[in-house]
Amino acid sequence: MTELTPTASAVPADRLVVRTSAGLVQGGESDGALFWKGLRYAEAPVGLLRWRAPVPVEPWTGVVAATDYGPAAPQISNPAIPLGPDVVKDEDCLSLNIWRSAASTRPLPVMVWIHGGAYTFGSSRQPLFDGTAFVSTGEVVIVTVNYRIGALGFLDLSSVATEEQPFDSNLALRDVLLALEWVQQNIAAFGGDPERVTVFGESAGGGLITTLLTVPSAEGLFHQAIAESSPVSSVYDSVRSAKVAQRMLDQLGVAAGDLARLRDLPAVDIVAAGMAVYAAVPSEEPGTLAFAPVVDGELVPEHPITVLSEGRGLPVPLVIGTNKDEAALFKFMKSPLMPIDEQSITEMLTEIARENSELEMPTRDEILTAYTGLRTHAIGLGVARDVGFRMPTLWSAEGHATVAPVWLYRFDQATPMLRLVGVGATHATELPYVWGNLDTDPKDITFKLGGRKTGRAVSERLQARWRAFATTGSPQGAAGDVEWETFQPAGARSTLVIDRHDALVPDLDGELRAAWGDAVLTFS
């Protein structure tokens, strides 16, 4: 953010100039939307604040320009997640962005977006997440949040902490919590209603949201949630996080008696070491991630999948779902994150069974009954999709529906090009439709063989449902759309299939549930 020269008297009467709890900011206007970008909610997490809980931003004097995005969190470039032109990457990344319609005058419900990226990539500054189209109807205020990622955001060094060198756990989750506190304190000044806050996110962002649903200190910071393709069960215990911490220390060449060096290492070196660990962990232990939220017994008292499946999460309405072909992207990108081949899947299932020895887990053959008739590679994609995304989503929906309304979906829409290259409705393909931004990346192949007309129609319906959920508490969308019934574990288990034409399907996942059984599996 850049400080402007304040007037000699008072700040001009300008709707773009807003007083926050830390000082005055001046935004901009474009295409019928007012926006404020790069708003700091925390001090730079550097030096002694590296690997510590975020600290609220210090007040400033004058008027700070808020017309450009803040830096993205340090990361390597990933062609699958374009950050936009002229991107700056810096540890001083704890900022957020706000959009609302220029025509809106009343307090509006707020939707707070948590971006994805395997807990290691991405930013709120991605062109895909520009909120202009989302706020065009004047129904909601959009907030997008930056948080620490990779080793700087998810490495848990508490196992090696000392009195002289303290470290905190779940740094990224703490960032999001502080951002939500900032929203509660400040969003009214931007035209938002702090009593009607919906958090929504995809992939890692969805995982942070399902974890938030089990964090006691998050109560009251949001009132509804949307979790898209959440890896709900990819949250690990302190034993595994300690192993990752030691692996990182070894990779960085930092001895236990020299922890002070961790505060001074260049961020680029930490990112490089983190990427080596990021690649090694799932290769050696299929189905696991190096960096993810941790059950620390403090901020996250228990495994989220356990809490949610037992109906003990924060009792807020929830929209949750996955994409039909989640795992295809990981195969297409040759990503190590998801086990696709038979050997790695067998290793993963064996390890899950070992970690859940007290449960009556289905056998490998029983699980494979859900994939009868599929080719070998399709079986691998199906198992990876379901163990990583669909089954944890179902377990969460089953439990959370006992304490709050739940709407379950599956996103099936795929363009001709995505079907041709064999990825279909894969991981993250719903995002352009959710945001109404179908053409943000000139290198994107999605619509190269057509499908934009259908895409716009799907996007309009999907956005209408997400906005309706934020404004009314029910994702029914526009008049004439298929009615979306709540998910009832003891009833029809209705699922909305989002495609060229939406359809409500009873017990869409019946065969899958039967094959996987009733055991709710954790990944410690």
Side-chain angles (χ1 to χ4, degrees):
M1 295 189 297
T2 303
E3 185 171 317
L4 304 178
T5 303
T7 58
S9 56
V11 175
D14 186 339
R15 63 180 176 168
L16 296 176
V17 176
V18 175
R19 182 177 297 279
T20 72
S21 55
L24 293 163
V25 296
Q26 182 168 350
E29 183 172 357
S30 177
D31 296 327
L34 308 183
F35 62 84
W36 296 264
K37 299 177 180 178
L39 298 173
R40 292 177 182 269
Y41 64 87
E43 289 294 297
V46 297
L48 295 178
L49 293 181
R50 183 185 274 175
W51 285 303
R52 298 303 309 274
V55 174
V57 64
E58 290 287 332
W60 59 78
T61 58
V63 184
V64 168
T67 53
D68 292 316
Y69 293 108
Q75 61 194 278
I76 67 162
S77 297
N78 185 333
I81 306 177
L83 301 180
D86 305 319
V87 62
V88 174
K89 302 171 187 176
D90 195 278
E91 283 186 86
D92 187 8
C93 63
L94 300 184
S95 64
L96 52 80
N97 318 292
I98 300 172
W99 289 263
R100 73 171 174 86
S101 169
S104 301
T105 57
R106 57 189 174 86
L108 298 173
V110 182
M111 299 186 71
V112 179
W113 174 252
I114 313 299
H115 72 79
Y119 298 115
T120 304
F121 307 101
S123 170
S124 66
R125 65 168 291 131
Q126 292 172 235
L128 181 59
F129 305 142
D130 183 292
T132 304
F134 218 123
V135 303
S136 62
T137 61
E139 296 172 82
V140 296
V141 171
I142 287 289
V143 180
T144 63
V145 176
N146 254 14
Y147 57 92
R148 285 173 280 182
I149 58 178
L152 289 165
F154 289 94
L155 181 64
D156 179 9
L157 290 165
S158 58
S159 59
V160 298
T162 65
E163 188 174 339
E164 295 76 22
Q165 293 297 329
F167 299 101
D168 294 311
S169 59
N170 285 308
L171 303 167
L173 192 62
R174 295 179 194 272
D175 293 343
V176 172
L177 284 166
L178 185 60
L180 290 172
E181 290 176 10
W182 189 97
V183 168
Q184 286 296 308
Q185 294 168 3
N186 294 285
I187 202 63
F190 296 87
D193 183 351
E195 297 300 318
R196 292 187 291 170
V197 174
T198 298
V199 290
F200 69 131
E202 180 267 348
S203 192
L208 285 169
I209 284 170
T210 49
T211 301
L212 277 174
L213 286 169
T214 70
V215 173
S217 59
E219 186 172 7
L221 295 180
F222 61 94
H223 311 96
Q224 301 183 141
I226 302 173
E228 304 169 21
S229 301
S230 170
V232 188
S233 53
S234 294
V235 178
Y236 305 116
D237 65 13
S238 57
V239 174
R240 178 166 285 170
S241 67
K243 291 179 181 178
V244 173
Q246 188 57 55
R247 189 189 284 263
M248 269 294 297
L249 292 178
D250 294 342
Q251 188 72 36
L252 290 167
V254 174
D258 196 19
L259 296 177
R261 280 187 57 210
L262 292 172
R263 313 290 188 189
D264 302 321
L265 286 170
V268 66
D269 292 349
I270 295 170
V271 170
M275 288 307 301
V277 174
Y278 166 90
V281 167
S283 296
E284 297 175 12
E285 301 178 66
T288 64
L289 304 175
F291 305 119
V294 173
V295 180
D296 56 12
E298 178 199 353
L299 190 69
V300 184
E302 300 177 67
H303 202 299
I305 192 64
T306 301
V307 175
L308 291 172
S309 66
E310 294 179 358
R312 295 187 287 113
L314 300 180
V316 302
L318 173 65
V319 170
I320 190 168
T322 63
N323 293 0
K324 182 181 181 181
D325 307 300
E326 292 280 5
L329 175 68
F330 299 91
K331 180 181 180 182
F332 184 76
M333 298 294 294
K334 296 181 172 60
S335 169
L337 294 185
M338 296 197 76
I340 304 297
D341 62 89
E342 184 174 356
Q343 179 180 343
S344 60
I345 287 175
T346 299
E347 290 177 10
M348 177 186 65
L349 293 176
T350 300
E351 180 61 18
I352 293 173
R354 187 192 66 78
E355 293 183 356
N356 294 270
S357 58
E358 74 284 2
L359 299 177
E360 188 177 344
M361 181 179 166
T363 66
R364 179 181 181 277
D365 289 341
E366 287 172 336
I367 290 172
L368 293 181
T369 61
Y371 310 95
T372 302
L374 297 181
R375 295 180 178 179
T376 301
H377 82 281
I379 292 173
L381 289 172
V383 173
R385 170 198 65 203
D386 297 331
V387 74
F389 295 103
R390 192 63 186 180
M391 290 309 303
T393 288
L394 290 175
W395 295 328
S396 300
E398 294 264 346
H400 198 68
T402 64
V403 294
V406 171
W407 291 266
L408 180 65
Y409 75 86
R410 193 180 75 188
F411 184 85
D412 285 22
Q413 163 65 16
T415 65
M417 187 65 176
L418 295 186
R419 290 196 296 270
L420 178 67
V421 299
V423 297
T426 191
H427 191 67
T429 51
E430 88 283 5
L431 291 177
Y433 302 92
V434 168
W435 285 90
N437 296 327
L438 304 185
D439 302 294
T440 57
D441 181 7
K443 297 180 181 179
D444 184 11
I445 66 170
T446 300
F447 296 100
K448 293 298 185 184
L449 294 180
R452 275 189 175 81
K453 182 178 180 181
T454 296
R456 291 191 186 98
V458 172
S459 178
E460 287 175 5
R461 290 201 314 274
L462 188 52
Q463 280 199 315
R465 291 191 185 279
W466 268 214
R467 290 193 197 102
F469 182 59
T471 56
T472 70
S474 176
Q476 293 311 331
D481 287 348
V482 172
E483 183 178 352
W484 191 353
E485 298 174 358
T486 56
F487 181 82
Q488 300 292 339
R493 287 190 168 92
S494 298
T495 301
L496 185 73
V497 175
I498 301 170
D499 205 337
R500 183 185 184 98
H501 302 289
D502 294 348
L504 193 70
V505 180
D507 204 8
L508 176 70
D509 303 290
E511 292 184 5
L512 199 60
R513 287 188 301 101
W516 281 88
D518 297 326
V520 175
L521 308 176
T522 60
F523 303 81
S524 59

